[in-house]
Amino acid sequence: MSQFSVGVLGATGAVGQKFIRLLENHPWFSVTHVGASSRSAGKPYSEATHWIENVPIDTKVANLNVQDCDPAHFSDVDFVFSGLDSAVATDIEKSFAEAGIPVITNARNYRHFPTVPLLVPEVNPDHISLIKQQTFDPKGKGFIVTNPNCVCVPLVTAIRPIFNKYGVENIVMTSMQAISGAGYPGVPSLDITANVVPYIDGEEGKIGKEPLKLLGKLQDGKINHAKFQVQATATRVPVIEGHLLSVTMTLKEQPASIDELISVWKSWKSPIADLNLPTAPATPVKVYDDPRYPQPRVHAYIENGMQVSVGRIRKAEVMDVSFIALAHNTVRGAAGGAILNAELLVKKNYISK
Ligand code: NAP
């Protein structure tokens, strides 16, 4: 396959940098255009960006000139990834879709549009057919696909096997979210050093709403949202990468035993397992038996940061079952998840040259 030419919008931000890093040696995609605000436009990428990744900038991207996020400057690309600030994403992403350029975004702005897939390939790959109903581009080439909030990714990926078999009635959970989730410069050091901040603005609402669309059923071209409630507490902890979740659920049907439930978890096969997508982890949900696992520093980067780890599965004293889940927030929960979305879209012929 010859390489797809790709633009990254918001390329100078924390998620944008992760895109540049993860795409450096991608077998299908090559970054040819980078976009950011007028503060950065006109400068070489290496000069406009305060680089925070712990590997050097890909040299071919370092020398690209940053453009304003105007689709006219991106007419040569096959599609764009977006790591745009949500304050500006609505109009910019729409203008790209209208110009016939597919947009695969991390921003929250279009997540609840009825015709926009909120996509995790291992969870709801069938939802991509919603794209056919989008009207941004009369020629049908431009569209928008979103990925979920970085806590919702480990939550829905972890519960997918259990939701399929037993159904979910209610969830009570606490997220322990890494500092990198707040972008750069992010949380003030005096707030987060040797401390926990028990509140993240806007986060609990997203955790309550997005799983219902993600686990919804596509019927007659519409998503029938799943029906359960999530009581979430979102906290910021002094961890650099990896969001850890403590989750307790009530199920609609009861497993015969916790061992049966664990074996459902361990034997689950991802619906995209046979597609050979380059970024797809071999084991999308890894279940640990050791009660000390998973831990952000030890497990967040396994399978290049694309694996969701689950551990401490146990019978709950209140409700039915408790467990811990972990995922790398800027890889699986942001840029890596979006790259996997793009690979699925290529494989299913929604993106072509
Ligand atoms: P960030 O570090 O603040 O980066 C924001 C980017 O948007 C920068 O490239 C910035 O360019 C660009 N931008 C700002 N105003 C602009 C304008 N008027 N026109 C064009 N570009 C503009 O934020 P982030 O943490 O990378 O997050 C990016 C997006 O991903 C957000 O929507 C966020 O909610 C979402 N997200 C983040 C995470 C995470 O873990 N961090 C996870 C999931 C989703 P300049 O450098 O030129 O200002």
Side-chain angles (χ1 to χ4, degrees), residues 10-16 35-40 48 69 83-86 88 92 106-108 111 148-150 180-184 206 243 329-330 333-334:
T12 51
V15 171
S37 76
S38 52
R39 296 179 288 277
S40 307
C69 292
L84 283 170
D85 190 327
S86 56
V88 299
I92 295 175
N106 287 276
R108 65 170 181 264
R111 286 179 188 157
N149 163 276
C150 44
S180 57
Y184 186 86
K206 292 182 220 166
H243 288 354
N329 53 299
T330 55

PDB file of all heavy atoms in Angstrom, residues 10-16 35-40 48 69 83-86 88 92 106-108 111 148-150 180-184 206 243 329-330 333-334, ligand 1:
ATOM      1  N   GLY A  10      -3.671  20.952  15.612  1.00  0.00           N
ATOM      2  CA  GLY A  10      -3.320  21.005  17.042  1.00  0.00           C
ATOM      3  C   GLY A  10      -2.019  20.244  17.272  1.00  0.00           C
ATOM      4  O   GLY A  10      -1.805  19.679  18.351  1.00  0.00           O
ATOM      5  N   ALA A  11      -1.152  20.242  16.263  1.00  0.00           N
ATOM      6  CA  ALA A  11       0.062  19.398  16.288  1.00  0.00           C
ATOM      7  C   ALA A  11       1.051  19.820  17.364  1.00  0.00           C
ATOM      8  O   ALA A  11       1.897  19.017  17.775  1.00  0.00           O
ATOM      9  CB  ALA A  11       0.737  19.431  14.920  1.00  0.00           C
ATOM     10  N   THR A  12       0.949  21.066  17.834  1.00  0.00           N
ATOM     11  CA  THR A  12       1.928  21.544  18.825  1.00  0.00           C
ATOM     12  C   THR A  12       1.541  21.184  20.262  1.00  0.00           C
ATOM     13  O   THR A  12       2.348  21.335  21.169  1.00  0.00           O
ATOM     14  CB  THR A  12       2.044  23.086  18.732  1.00  0.00           C
ATOM     15  OG1 THR A  12       0.713  23.627  18.796  1.00  0.00           O
ATOM     16  CG2 THR A  12       2.708  23.515  17.429  1.00  0.00           C
ATOM     17  N   GLY A  13       0.302  20.722  20.487  1.00  0.00           N
ATOM     18  CA  GLY A  13      -0.177  20.426  21.851  1.00  0.00           C
ATOM     19  C   GLY A  13       0.286  19.053  22.332  1.00  0.00           C
ATOM     20  O   GLY A  13       1.006  18.326  21.631  1.00  0.00           O
ATOM     21  N   ALA A  14      -0.148  18.692  23.541  1.00  0.00           N
ATOM     22  CA  ALA A  14       0.282  17.426  24.149  1.00  0.00           C
ATOM     23  C   ALA A  14      -0.182  16.230  23.311  1.00  0.00           C
ATOM     24  O   ALA A  14       0.599  15.308  23.027  1.00  0.00           O
ATOM     25  CB  ALA A  14      -0.271  17.319  25.567  1.00  0.00           C
ATOM     26  N   VAL A  15      -1.447  16.233  22.887  1.00  0.00           N
ATOM     27  CA  VAL A  15      -1.951  15.127  22.076  1.00  0.00           C
ATOM     28  C   VAL A  15      -1.342  15.196  20.673  1.00  0.00           C
ATOM     29  O   VAL A  15      -0.958  14.176  20.089  1.00  0.00           O
ATOM     30  CB  VAL A  15      -3.498  15.164  22.026  1.00  0.00           C
ATOM     31  CG1 VAL A  15      -4.042  14.169  21.028  1.00  0.00           C
ATOM     32  CG2 VAL A  15      -4.070  14.880  23.419  1.00  0.00           C
ATOM     33  N   GLY A  16      -1.226  16.413  20.133  1.00  0.00           N
ATOM     34  CA  GLY A  16      -0.616  16.588  18.806  1.00  0.00           C
ATOM     35  C   GLY A  16       0.789  16.003  18.759  1.00  0.00           C
ATOM     36  O   GLY A  16       1.181  15.324  17.799  1.00  0.00           O
ATOM     37  N   GLY A  35      -0.798  21.676  11.676  1.00  0.00           N
ATOM     38  CA  GLY A  35      -1.557  22.909  11.871  1.00  0.00           C
ATOM     39  C   GLY A  35      -1.677  23.248  13.342  1.00  0.00           C
ATOM     40  O   GLY A  35      -1.687  22.351  14.192  1.00  0.00           O
ATOM     41  N   ALA A  36      -1.740  24.531  13.642  1.00  0.00           N
ATOM     42  CA  ALA A  36      -1.970  24.991  15.020  1.00  0.00           C
ATOM     43  C   ALA A  36      -2.541  26.407  14.952  1.00  0.00           C
ATOM     44  O   ALA A  36      -3.091  26.805  13.913  1.00  0.00           O
ATOM     45  CB  ALA A  36      -0.673  24.919  15.829  1.00  0.00           C
ATOM     46  N   SER A  37      -2.412  27.178  16.035  1.00  0.00           N
ATOM     47  CA  SER A  37      -3.016  28.523  16.071  1.00  0.00           C
ATOM     48  C   SER A  37      -2.130  29.511  15.311  1.00  0.00           C
ATOM     49  O   SER A  37      -0.991  29.201  14.933  1.00  0.00           O
ATOM     50  CB  SER A  37      -3.167  28.975  17.520  1.00  0.00           C
ATOM     51  OG  SER A  37      -1.905  29.366  18.021  1.00  0.00           O
ATOM     52  N   SER A  38      -2.635  30.738  15.184  1.00  0.00           N
ATOM     53  CA  SER A  38      -1.844  31.779  14.507  1.00  0.00           C
ATOM     54  C   SER A  38      -0.577  32.117  15.305  1.00  0.00           C
ATOM     55  O   SER A  38       0.375  32.659  14.765  1.00  0.00           O
ATOM     56  CB  SER A  38      -2.697  33.020  14.268  1.00  0.00           C
ATOM     57  OG  SER A  38      -3.279  33.392  15.492  1.00  0.00           O
ATOM     58  N   ARG A  39      -0.554  31.729  16.592  1.00  0.00           N
ATOM     59  CA  ARG A  39       0.667  31.948  17.392  1.00  0.00           C
ATOM     60  C   ARG A  39       1.824  31.108  16.860  1.00  0.00           C
ATOM     61  O   ARG A  39       2.980  31.479  16.950  1.00  0.00           O
ATOM     62  CB  ARG A  39       0.433  31.549  18.866  1.00  0.00           C
ATOM     63  CG  ARG A  39      -0.599  32.362  19.598  1.00  0.00           C
ATOM     64  CD  ARG A  39      -0.777  31.863  21.037  1.00  0.00           C
ATOM     65  NE  ARG A  39      -1.475  30.578  21.115  1.00  0.00           N
ATOM     66  CZ  ARG A  39      -2.806  30.446  21.091  1.00  0.00           C
ATOM     67  NH1 ARG A  39      -3.556  31.516  20.996  1.00  0.00           N
ATOM     68  NH2 ARG A  39      -3.380  29.253  21.148  1.00  0.00           N
ATOM     69  N   SER A  40       1.496  29.950  16.303  1.00  0.00           N
ATOM     70  CA  SER A  40       2.528  29.011  15.836  1.00  0.00           C
ATOM     71  C   SER A  40       2.713  29.051  14.316  1.00  0.00           C
ATOM     72  O   SER A  40       3.771  28.656  13.819  1.00  0.00           O
ATOM     73  CB  SER A  40       2.131  27.577  16.213  1.00  0.00           C
ATOM     74  OG  SER A  40       1.835  27.488  17.583  1.00  0.00           O
ATOM     75  N   ALA A  48       8.040  26.080  16.850  1.00  0.00           N
ATOM     76  CA  ALA A  48       6.710  26.440  17.378  1.00  0.00           C
ATOM     77  C   ALA A  48       6.320  25.573  18.572  1.00  0.00           C
ATOM     78  O   ALA A  48       5.456  25.950  19.366  1.00  0.00           O
ATOM     79  CB  ALA A  48       5.666  26.292  16.268  1.00  0.00           C
ATOM     80  N   CYS A  69      -5.027  26.539  10.712  1.00  0.00           N
ATOM     81  CA  CYS A  69      -5.919  25.391  10.459  1.00  0.00           C
ATOM     82  C   CYS A  69      -7.019  25.773   9.475  1.00  0.00           C
ATOM     83  O   CYS A  69      -8.213  25.782   9.803  1.00  0.00           O
ATOM     84  CB  CYS A  69      -6.489  24.880  11.781  1.00  0.00           C
ATOM     85  SG  CYS A  69      -5.240  24.125  12.805  1.00  0.00           S
ATOM     86  N   GLY A  83      -6.011  17.184  17.274  1.00  0.00           N
ATOM     87  CA  GLY A  83      -5.781  17.293  18.720  1.00  0.00           C
ATOM     88  C   GLY A  83      -6.024  18.742  19.099  1.00  0.00           C
ATOM     89  O   GLY A  83      -5.286  19.312  19.896  1.00  0.00           O
ATOM     90  N   LEU A  84      -7.076  19.333  18.485  1.00  0.00           N
ATOM     91  CA  LEU A  84      -7.356  20.756  18.717  1.00  0.00           C
ATOM     92  C   LEU A  84      -7.989  20.992  20.072  1.00  0.00           C
ATOM     93  O   LEU A  84      -8.779  20.168  20.557  1.00  0.00           O
ATOM     94  CB  LEU A  84      -8.319  21.277  17.644  1.00  0.00           C
ATOM     95  CG  LEU A  84      -7.725  21.571  16.265  1.00  0.00           C
ATOM     96  CD1 LEU A  84      -8.854  21.841  15.267  1.00  0.00           C
ATOM     97  CD2 LEU A  84      -6.760  22.756  16.314  1.00  0.00           C
ATOM     98  N   ASP A  85      -7.674  22.133  20.637  1.00  0.00           N
ATOM     99  CA  ASP A  85      -8.366  22.633  21.814  1.00  0.00           C
ATOM    100  C   ASP A  85      -9.865  22.656  21.504  1.00  0.00           C
ATOM    101  O   ASP A  85     -10.282  23.132  20.444  1.00  0.00           O
ATOM    102  CB  ASP A  85      -7.837  24.062  22.046  1.00  0.00           C
ATOM    103  CG  ASP A  85      -8.259  24.632  23.359  1.00  0.00           C
ATOM    104  OD1 ASP A  85      -9.359  24.304  23.824  1.00  0.00           O
ATOM    105  OD2 ASP A  85      -7.478  25.419  23.926  1.00  0.00           O
ATOM    106  N   SER A  86     -10.673  22.145  22.446  1.00  0.00           N
ATOM    107  CA  SER A  86     -12.110  22.060  22.149  1.00  0.00           C
ATOM    108  C   SER A  86     -12.752  23.439  22.012  1.00  0.00           C
ATOM    109  O   SER A  86     -13.815  23.564  21.406  1.00  0.00           O
ATOM    110  CB  SER A  86     -12.838  21.220  23.203  1.00  0.00           C
ATOM    111  OG  SER A  86     -12.599  21.761  24.462  1.00  0.00           O
ATOM    112  N   VAL A  88     -11.896  25.623  20.037  1.00  0.00           N
ATOM    113  CA  VAL A  88     -11.855  26.028  18.618  1.00  0.00           C
ATOM    114  C   VAL A  88     -12.204  24.886  17.666  1.00  0.00           C
ATOM    115  O   VAL A  88     -12.293  25.085  16.447  1.00  0.00           O
ATOM    116  CB  VAL A  88     -10.456  26.589  18.242  1.00  0.00           C
ATOM    117  CG1 VAL A  88     -10.134  27.815  19.088  1.00  0.00           C
ATOM    118  CG2 VAL A  88      -9.353  25.540  18.408  1.00  0.00           C
ATOM    119  N   ILE A  92     -13.443  24.590  13.128  1.00  0.00           N
ATOM    120  CA  ILE A  92     -12.314  24.152  12.296  1.00  0.00           C
ATOM    121  C   ILE A  92     -12.578  22.747  11.755  1.00  0.00           C
ATOM    122  O   ILE A  92     -12.421  22.487  10.549  1.00  0.00           O
ATOM    123  CB  ILE A  92     -10.987  24.198  13.098  1.00  0.00           C
ATOM    124  CG1 ILE A  92     -10.635  25.640  13.465  1.00  0.00           C
ATOM    125  CG2 ILE A  92      -9.855  23.566  12.275  1.00  0.00           C
ATOM    126  CD1 ILE A  92      -9.401  25.787  14.351  1.00  0.00           C
ATOM    127  N   ASN A 106      -9.861  13.922  18.552  1.00  0.00           N
ATOM    128  CA  ASN A 106      -9.885  13.663  19.993  1.00  0.00           C
ATOM    129  C   ASN A 106     -10.753  14.661  20.741  1.00  0.00           C
ATOM    130  O   ASN A 106     -11.015  14.458  21.920  1.00  0.00           O
ATOM    131  CB  ASN A 106      -8.480  13.849  20.577  1.00  0.00           C
ATOM    132  CG  ASN A 106      -7.587  12.738  20.184  1.00  0.00           C
ATOM    133  OD1 ASN A 106      -7.596  11.713  20.816  1.00  0.00           O
ATOM    134  ND2 ASN A 106      -6.842  12.928  19.118  1.00  0.00           N
ATOM    135  N   ALA A 107     -11.099  15.754  20.093  1.00  0.00           N
ATOM    136  CA  ALA A 107     -11.855  16.800  20.791  1.00  0.00           C
ATOM    137  C   ALA A 107     -13.279  16.309  21.071  1.00  0.00           C
ATOM    138  O   ALA A 107     -13.801  15.454  20.361  1.00  0.00           O
ATOM    139  CB  ALA A 107     -11.871  18.075  19.959  1.00  0.00           C
ATOM    140  N   ARG A 108     -13.912  16.882  22.070  1.00  0.00           N
ATOM    141  CA  ARG A 108     -15.205  16.362  22.518  1.00  0.00           C
ATOM    142  C   ARG A 108     -16.387  16.876  21.703  1.00  0.00           C
ATOM    143  O   ARG A 108     -17.502  16.367  21.802  1.00  0.00           O
ATOM    144  CB  ARG A 108     -15.425  16.735  23.990  1.00  0.00           C
ATOM    145  CG  ARG A 108     -15.543  18.225  24.229  1.00  0.00           C
ATOM    146  CD  ARG A 108     -16.006  18.526  25.657  1.00  0.00           C
ATOM    147  NE  ARG A 108     -16.152  19.948  25.879  1.00  0.00           N
ATOM    148  CZ  ARG A 108     -15.224  20.718  26.417  1.00  0.00           C
ATOM    149  NH1 ARG A 108     -14.071  20.208  26.805  1.00  0.00           N
ATOM    150  NH2 ARG A 108     -15.432  22.003  26.583  1.00  0.00           N
ATOM    151  N   ARG A 111     -18.816  14.510  19.731  1.00  0.00           N
ATOM    152  CA  ARG A 111     -19.011  13.135  20.228  1.00  0.00           C
ATOM    153  C   ARG A 111     -20.478  12.713  20.293  1.00  0.00           C
ATOM    154  O   ARG A 111     -20.786  11.542  20.144  1.00  0.00           O
ATOM    155  CB  ARG A 111     -18.384  12.983  21.623  1.00  0.00           C
ATOM    156  CG  ARG A 111     -16.870  12.918  21.572  1.00  0.00           C
ATOM    157  CD  ARG A 111     -16.266  12.791  22.964  1.00  0.00           C
ATOM    158  NE  ARG A 111     -14.817  12.913  22.890  1.00  0.00           N
ATOM    159  CZ  ARG A 111     -14.040  13.276  23.914  1.00  0.00           C
ATOM    160  NH1 ARG A 111     -14.576  13.541  25.093  1.00  0.00           N
ATOM    161  NH2 ARG A 111     -12.741  13.364  23.764  1.00  0.00           N
ATOM    162  N   PRO A 148     -13.413   8.692  22.259  1.00  0.00           N
ATOM    163  CA  PRO A 148     -13.990   9.120  23.531  1.00  0.00           C
ATOM    164  C   PRO A 148     -12.984   9.761  24.470  1.00  0.00           C
ATOM    165  O   PRO A 148     -11.772   9.742  24.229  1.00  0.00           O
ATOM    166  CB  PRO A 148     -14.502   7.811  24.146  1.00  0.00           C
ATOM    167  CG  PRO A 148     -14.228   6.743  23.180  1.00  0.00           C
ATOM    168  CD  PRO A 148     -13.322   7.241  22.137  1.00  0.00           C
ATOM    169  N   ASN A 149     -13.508  10.281  25.530  1.00  0.00           N
ATOM    170  CA  ASN A 149     -12.736  10.765  26.665  1.00  0.00           C
ATOM    171  C   ASN A 149     -11.778   9.657  27.152  1.00  0.00           C
ATOM    172  O   ASN A 149     -12.091   8.471  27.057  1.00  0.00           O
ATOM    173  CB  ASN A 149     -13.770  11.140  27.754  1.00  0.00           C
ATOM    174  CG  ASN A 149     -13.155  11.269  29.105  1.00  0.00           C
ATOM    175  OD1 ASN A 149     -12.981  10.285  29.817  1.00  0.00           O
ATOM    176  ND2 ASN A 149     -12.818  12.472  29.463  1.00  0.00           N
ATOM    177  N   CYS A 150     -10.623  10.094  27.666  1.00  0.00           N
ATOM    178  CA  CYS A 150      -9.542   9.146  27.989  1.00  0.00           C
ATOM    179  C   CYS A 150      -9.864   8.217  29.175  1.00  0.00           C
ATOM    180  O   CYS A 150      -9.173   7.209  29.363  1.00  0.00           O
ATOM    181  CB  CYS A 150      -8.255   9.915  28.237  1.00  0.00           C
ATOM    182  SG  CYS A 150      -8.488  11.372  29.244  1.00  0.00           S
ATOM    183  N   SER A 180      -0.680  14.245  32.601  1.00  0.00           N
ATOM    184  CA  SER A 180      -0.590  14.524  31.161  1.00  0.00           C
ATOM    185  C   SER A 180      -1.961  14.671  30.517  1.00  0.00           C
ATOM    186  O   SER A 180      -2.078  15.247  29.433  1.00  0.00           O
ATOM    187  CB  SER A 180       0.208  13.426  30.455  1.00  0.00           C
ATOM    188  OG  SER A 180      -0.391  12.175  30.709  1.00  0.00           O
ATOM    189  N   GLY A 181      -2.998  14.190  31.198  1.00  0.00           N
ATOM    190  CA  GLY A 181      -4.357  14.335  30.675  1.00  0.00           C
ATOM    191  C   GLY A 181      -4.825  15.777  30.634  1.00  0.00           C
ATOM    192  O   GLY A 181      -5.804  16.095  29.970  1.00  0.00           O
ATOM    193  N   ALA A 182      -4.125  16.657  31.334  1.00  0.00           N
ATOM    194  CA  ALA A 182      -4.538  18.066  31.363  1.00  0.00           C
ATOM    195  C   ALA A 182      -3.767  18.896  30.346  1.00  0.00           C
ATOM    196  O   ALA A 182      -3.820  20.131  30.370  1.00  0.00           O
ATOM    197  CB  ALA A 182      -4.337  18.627  32.761  1.00  0.00           C
ATOM    198  N   GLY A 183      -3.045  18.240  29.408  1.00  0.00           N
ATOM    199  CA  GLY A 183      -2.292  18.985  28.397  1.00  0.00           C
ATOM    200  C   GLY A 183      -1.066  19.648  29.012  1.00  0.00           C
ATOM    201  O   GLY A 183      -0.655  19.314  30.131  1.00  0.00           O
ATOM    202  N   TYR A 184      -0.461  20.593  28.274  1.00  0.00           N
ATOM    203  CA  TYR A 184       0.731  21.285  28.772  1.00  0.00           C
ATOM    204  C   TYR A 184       0.456  22.784  28.833  1.00  0.00           C
ATOM    205  O   TYR A 184      -0.123  23.314  27.897  1.00  0.00           O
ATOM    206  CB  TYR A 184       1.928  21.016  27.843  1.00  0.00           C
ATOM    207  CG  TYR A 184       3.202  21.580  28.403  1.00  0.00           C
ATOM    208  CD1 TYR A 184       3.971  20.855  29.290  1.00  0.00           C
ATOM    209  CD2 TYR A 184       3.604  22.869  28.076  1.00  0.00           C
ATOM    210  CE1 TYR A 184       5.118  21.402  29.840  1.00  0.00           C
ATOM    211  CE2 TYR A 184       4.744  23.418  28.623  1.00  0.00           C
ATOM    212  CZ  TYR A 184       5.501  22.681  29.498  1.00  0.00           C
ATOM    213  OH  TYR A 184       6.635  23.225  30.055  1.00  0.00           O
ATOM    214  N   LYS A 206     -18.836  13.617  31.277  1.00  0.00           N
ATOM    215  CA  LYS A 206     -18.446  12.829  30.086  1.00  0.00           C
ATOM    216  C   LYS A 206     -18.431  11.337  30.416  1.00  0.00           C
ATOM    217  O   LYS A 206     -18.873  10.502  29.619  1.00  0.00           O
ATOM    218  CB  LYS A 206     -17.043  13.244  29.608  1.00  0.00           C
ATOM    219  CG  LYS A 206     -16.971  14.643  29.051  1.00  0.00           C
ATOM    220  CD  LYS A 206     -15.553  14.923  28.573  1.00  0.00           C
ATOM    221  CE  LYS A 206     -15.117  16.330  28.913  1.00  0.00           C
ATOM    222  NZ  LYS A 206     -13.700  16.564  28.786  1.00  0.00           N
ATOM    223  N   HIS A 243      -4.168   6.398  33.186  1.00  0.00           N
ATOM    224  CA  HIS A 243      -5.326   6.624  34.054  1.00  0.00           C
ATOM    225  C   HIS A 243      -5.749   5.286  34.667  1.00  0.00           C
ATOM    226  O   HIS A 243      -5.970   4.300  33.945  1.00  0.00           O
ATOM    227  CB  HIS A 243      -6.508   7.164  33.245  1.00  0.00           C
ATOM    228  CG  HIS A 243      -6.363   8.589  32.780  1.00  0.00           C
ATOM    229  ND1 HIS A 243      -5.326   9.419  33.144  1.00  0.00           N
ATOM    230  CD2 HIS A 243      -7.168   9.328  31.968  1.00  0.00           C
ATOM    231  CE1 HIS A 243      -5.496  10.603  32.581  1.00  0.00           C
ATOM    232  NE2 HIS A 243      -6.599  10.580  31.859  1.00  0.00           N
ATOM    233  N   ASN A 329      -3.308   7.242  28.874  1.00  0.00           N
ATOM    234  CA  ASN A 329      -4.314   8.250  28.511  1.00  0.00           C
ATOM    235  C   ASN A 329      -4.028   8.990  27.221  1.00  0.00           C
ATOM    236  O   ASN A 329      -4.963   9.284  26.466  1.00  0.00           O
ATOM    237  CB  ASN A 329      -4.490   9.247  29.660  1.00  0.00           C
ATOM    238  CG  ASN A 329      -3.189   9.865  30.108  1.00  0.00           C
ATOM    239  OD1 ASN A 329      -2.284   9.162  30.558  1.00  0.00           O
ATOM    240  ND2 ASN A 329      -3.064  11.172  30.006  1.00  0.00           N
ATOM    241  N   THR A 330      -2.759   9.292  26.908  1.00  0.00           N
ATOM    242  CA  THR A 330      -2.529  10.036  25.659  1.00  0.00           C
ATOM    243  C   THR A 330      -2.277   9.098  24.474  1.00  0.00           C
ATOM    244  O   THR A 330      -2.273   9.536  23.333  1.00  0.00           O
ATOM    245  CB  THR A 330      -1.360  11.051  25.772  1.00  0.00           C
ATOM    246  OG1 THR A 330      -0.190  10.355  26.208  1.00  0.00           O
ATOM    247  CG2 THR A 330      -1.698  12.172  26.726  1.00  0.00           C
ATOM    248  N   GLY A 333      -5.968   6.393  25.108  1.00  0.00           N
ATOM    249  CA  GLY A 333      -7.071   7.324  25.373  1.00  0.00           C
ATOM    250  C   GLY A 333      -7.109   8.534  24.458  1.00  0.00           C
ATOM    251  O   GLY A 333      -8.007   9.360  24.580  1.00  0.00           O
ATOM    252  N   ALA A 334      -6.153   8.661  23.548  1.00  0.00           N
ATOM    253  CA  ALA A 334      -6.161   9.844  22.673  1.00  0.00           C
ATOM    254  C   ALA A 334      -5.528   9.493  21.319  1.00  0.00           C
ATOM    255  O   ALA A 334      -6.178   8.879  20.472  1.00  0.00           O
ATOM    256  CB  ALA A 334      -5.465  11.021  23.352  1.00  0.00           C
TER     257      ALA A 334
HETATM  258  P1  NAP B   1      -3.099  21.398  24.385  1.00  0.00           P
HETATM  259  O1  NAP B   1      -1.775  20.836  24.809  1.00  0.00           O
HETATM  260  O2  NAP B   1      -3.580  22.645  25.040  1.00  0.00           O
HETATM  261  O3  NAP B   1      -3.033  21.672  22.761  1.00  0.00           O
HETATM  262  C1  NAP B   1      -4.019  22.392  22.077  1.00  0.00           C
HETATM  263  C2  NAP B   1      -3.681  22.544  20.591  1.00  0.00           C
HETATM  264  O4  NAP B   1      -4.722  23.340  19.954  1.00  0.00           O
HETATM  265  C3  NAP B   1      -2.342  23.265  20.309  1.00  0.00           C
HETATM  266  O5  NAP B   1      -1.728  22.711  19.166  1.00  0.00           O
HETATM  267  C4  NAP B   1      -2.808  24.691  19.974  1.00  0.00           C
HETATM  268  O6  NAP B   1      -1.918  25.410  19.115  1.00  0.00           O
HETATM  269  C5  NAP B   1      -4.097  24.396  19.219  1.00  0.00           C
HETATM  270  N1  NAP B   1      -4.949  25.588  19.164  1.00  0.00           N
HETATM  271  C6  NAP B   1      -5.360  26.359  20.202  1.00  0.00           C
HETATM  272  N2  NAP B   1      -6.092  27.409  19.736  1.00  0.00           N
HETATM  273  C7  NAP B   1      -6.142  27.274  18.387  1.00  0.00           C
HETATM  274  C8  NAP B   1      -6.736  28.034  17.330  1.00  0.00           C
HETATM  275  N3  NAP B   1      -7.441  29.168  17.580  1.00  0.00           N
HETATM  276  N4  NAP B   1      -6.579  27.606  16.060  1.00  0.00           N
HETATM  277  C9  NAP B   1      -5.875  26.480  15.797  1.00  0.00           C
HETATM  278  N5  NAP B   1      -5.263  25.714  16.744  1.00  0.00           N
HETATM  279  C10 NAP B   1      -5.409  26.116  18.028  1.00  0.00           C
HETATM  280  O7  NAP B   1      -4.262  20.342  24.562  1.00  0.00           O
HETATM  281  P2  NAP B   1      -4.176  18.682  24.569  1.00  0.00           P
HETATM  282  O8  NAP B   1      -4.049  18.175  25.942  1.00  0.00           O
HETATM  283  O9  NAP B   1      -3.181  18.274  23.536  1.00  0.00           O
HETATM  284  O10 NAP B   1      -5.663  18.309  24.113  1.00  0.00           O
HETATM  285  C11 NAP B   1      -6.068  18.476  22.754  1.00  0.00           C
HETATM  286  C12 NAP B   1      -7.487  17.969  22.578  1.00  0.00           C
HETATM  287  O11 NAP B   1      -7.553  16.571  22.841  1.00  0.00           O
HETATM  288  C13 NAP B   1      -8.492  18.645  23.529  1.00  0.00           C
HETATM  289  O12 NAP B   1      -9.714  18.820  22.831  1.00  0.00           O
HETATM  290  C14 NAP B   1      -8.611  17.629  24.658  1.00  0.00           C
HETATM  291  O13 NAP B   1      -9.834  17.739  25.346  1.00  0.00           O
HETATM  292  C15 NAP B   1      -8.492  16.306  23.906  1.00  0.00           C
HETATM  293  N6  NAP B   1      -7.989  15.158  24.684  1.00  0.00           N
HETATM  294  C16 NAP B   1      -6.860  15.249  25.449  1.00  0.00           C
HETATM  295  C17 NAP B   1      -6.398  14.126  26.151  1.00  0.00           C
HETATM  296  C18 NAP B   1      -5.139  14.148  27.002  1.00  0.00           C
HETATM  297  O14 NAP B   1      -4.861  13.110  27.633  1.00  0.00           O
HETATM  298  N7  NAP B   1      -4.357  15.263  27.045  1.00  0.00           N
HETATM  299  C19 NAP B   1      -7.082  12.923  26.050  1.00  0.00           C
HETATM  300  C20 NAP B   1      -8.229  12.849  25.244  1.00  0.00           C
HETATM  301  C21 NAP B   1      -8.647  13.973  24.577  1.00  0.00           C
HETATM  302  P3  NAP B   1      -0.832  26.491  19.695  1.00  0.00           P
HETATM  303  O15 NAP B   1       0.320  25.689  20.250  1.00  0.00           O
HETATM  304  O16 NAP B   1      -0.459  27.262  18.481  1.00  0.00           O
HETATM  305  O17 NAP B   1      -1.531  27.297  20.743  1.00  0.00           O
END
